[in-house]
Amino acid sequence: MKPAILAVSLVFAAAIGAGGYAVASNHGHMNHGGHAGHGDHAATDADVSPATRAFMDANDAMHADMMIEFTGDADVDFIRGMIPHHEGAVLMAEIVLEHGTDAEVAELAREIIAAQKEEIDWMRAWLAERGH
């Protein structure tokens, strides 16, 4: 699998995993509006590793930052939402570099960091050119 495709797959897998965590952390609560349950990890703090805690915190921050004020311009809203999404991918990659042990995963993480930072720079420039 090409690194770029693998990177996209990893980001989607992480997003799906984060969604699964959010569902599991709600323990059947009916109110799911506003990302109910995010940030409320007190019951599990003693049971998680430092890496898991870092991933949980990164996911919570990413989801909060993705809650942008929408402009009605699909292009602008997409770019504004994707910046924190990409920043979340960078943070998750940095976490695996700090806590992981697999050399292939580390290499993928470094590739993700480089690619996502380049795309973040492009998106910020694109927004700036349009006065956002």
Side-chain angles (χ1 to χ4, degrees):
M1 184 177 292
K2 291 184 177 181
I5 294 170
L6 186 56
V8 170
S9 298
L10 180 64
V11 170
F12 281 120
I16 290 167
Y21 167 75
V23 170
S25 71
N26 280 322
H27 302 293
H29 292 264
M30 296 305 289
N31 179 8
H32 297 287
H35 288 88
H38 283 244
D40 183 20
H41 308 297
T44 61
D45 279 347
D47 300 329
V48 299
S49 71
T52 299
R53 167 56 46 210
F55 282 126
M56 291 163 63
D57 291 345
N59 285 331
D60 287 346
M62 178 182 68
H63 287 126
D65 291 346
M66 288 176 66
M67 297 304 296
I68 62 168
E69 184 175 331
F70 292 97
T71 66
D73 181 319
D75 297 321
V76 169
D77 292 344
F78 172 74
I79 296 298
R80 290 179 64 219
M82 287 306 293
I83 290 172
H85 186 266
H86 279 42
E87 290 171 337
V90 169
L91 186 53
M92 288 189 295
E94 290 170 344
I95 292 166
V96 80
L97 289 175
E98 181 179 346
H99 297 280
T101 59
D102 188 284
E104 287 180 295
V105 173
E107 179 57 29
L108 176 62
R110 285 188 284 279
E111 291 173 9
I112 288 171
I113 291 167
Q116 299 294 294
K117 284 184 174 183
E118 184 177 323
E119 290 178 8
I120 290 166
D121 290 344
W122 181 90
M123 289 185 281
R124 286 188 174 139
W126 187 92
L127 285 171
E129 289 170 4
R130 289 154 182 81
H132 294 279

